[in-house]
Amino acid sequence: MNALYPPSSFIDKVIAAIRTVIGSAPAVLHEPAFAGNEWLYLKECLDSTFVSSVGKFVDRFEADLAAFTGARHAIAVVNGTAALHIALMLAGVKRGDEVLIPALTFVATANAVSYCGATPHFVDSEERTFGVDAQKLRDYLDRCTEQRAGFCINRSTGRVIRALVPMHTFGHPAAIDGIMAVARDFNIALLEDAAESLGSYYHGRHTGTFGLMGTISFNGNKTITTGGGGAILTDDAELARHARHLTTTAKLPHAWEYRHDEIGYNYRMPNINAALGCAQLEQLPAILAAKQVLYERYQTAFASVSGVRLMKAPEHCQSNYWLQTLLLDTKYVDQRDILLQSTNGAGIMTRPAWVLMHELMPFRECPRMDLAGAELLVPRLINIPSSSGLI
C-alpha cells in the first residue's frame, strides 16, 4: 500500500483481485502483441522501398479490414482522428454546424468536430453500456430542437445539428438501435466512433457498420496496432471513393502531373504501417479470444469483492474488452483516487476515465444537455491492465 494513505480493506481486496489474474510482475494498461508475421512483412516492405502511401500492403490491409468487419469499403488513414475528420466532412458537416457527441469520450472526438469549424454539442451516457443514452437524447431533442426544411435546428443557437457521433466506450457496443432511431427521426447523419471497438459486435453485426460511416483507430494502445493509424468504414461506394481522394491530397490520377481538384489532406496510411497492420489482423481472432479469457478471469477474481463490479458486454453484444473496466459503487467514490494512487504505486497501471469534454478549457462554452449520467459515471470508473499478453 502507498504510505500516503491509511490501509483500506477495500483497496487491499481490489489489488489482490487484480494480482490473482496478472501475477506479481508490473503490468501496463495495454500493450500490443507482436507474435506473428510483423517482422516478415515489415522487412518485405523495407526491401520493396515502398514505405509511404503507395504499396501493396495498404490495399491488402483495407481489403482484410473490410472482410473482417463486414463493411463493403475500408479506407486506411494515418490515425483515428483523421478518419473521423474526413467522415464528418463527407457527411456534410461544415462551419457553423453542431455535432452531437458524448461528453464521455476521448478528446479526439471533439477535436475532429472542431477541425470542421463545427461545434461539439455534448450528450449524456448511460451506465448499462457507457454509451449515448438514446432515450434521454430523444427527450432532449424533442424539447430543444425543431425541424426546418428537413434539418434539425437547435432552438437556442439557431444552428443546424448535422450529425450524431456515438462512441463505443472501452470497446463495449453502445445501444445502437435506439441511437439510429433518434438520428433517423430527427434528420441527423449518424457516424460511429468505433475507435476502440474493433472486434465488437452488436446483435452479430460489427460496430462501425451501422451508420453512414464508422471510424476505427489503430494506435499503439488499441486491440491491434499499425503504430499510428485509423480507418473509415462505409458501405457507400461514392463515399469510399471520395474518402480515398481527399486523404490522398485530392490528387487527380496521372503518371507524372500533380493536379488537385479540391482541398485535400495528406492522411493516407503509409505502406509500412499497413504492413504491420496486415500481420496484426491475422492475429486478431486469437487476441480477442485471449481478452475474453482475461475478462472471465477478472470476473471470477472480483466476484467476492463487494463495492465494485467488472463491466461486461451489454446483452446481445460481443465486446472486444479493449480496456477492462471497474465500476465502483457510489459509496466508494471517495476511494477512487486512493485506489489509482495505490495500484500505480504497486506497479499495476490503472487510469480513470477521461475528463468530461465540457469540463475541458476549449469546450466549456459548447452547448450540452443535462449530463447527470456521465457525471455520476466518471468518478466511479477505473481501467485495469488489459493486454492480451496477460493470458
Side-chain angles (χ1 to χ4, degrees), residues 49-115:
T49 75
F50 287 95
V51 296
S52 294
S53 58
V54 176
K56 74 172 191 178
F57 284 111
V58 177
D59 294 338
R60 175 181 164 183
F61 182 66
E62 290 180 336
D64 290 351
L65 181 61
F68 181 86
T69 60
R72 291 180 182 169
H73 306 278
I75 300 89
V77 296
V78 292
N79 54 55
T81 311
L84 186 53
H85 177 201
I86 295 300
L88 288 162
M89 290 181 59
L90 291 175
V93 174
K94 57 184 182 295
R95 186 169 300 280
D97 288 343
E98 293 180 7
V99 176
L100 302 170
I101 68 171
L104 178 56
T105 188
F106 181 56
V107 71
T109 315
N111 284 343
V113 173
S114 301
Y115 297 165

Side-chain angles (χ1 to χ4, degrees), residues 30-32 34 78-81 106 195 216-231 269 276 280 322 351:
H30 198 285
E31 61 183 354
F34 301 127
V78 292
N79 54 55
T81 311
F106 181 56
I216 296 179
S217 170
F218 303 106
N219 189 37
N221 68 343
K222 294 301 190 295
T223 305
I224 67 167
T225 186
T226 58
M269 178 182 284
L276 181 61
Q280 288 272 283
W322 171 54
R351 78 174 191 194

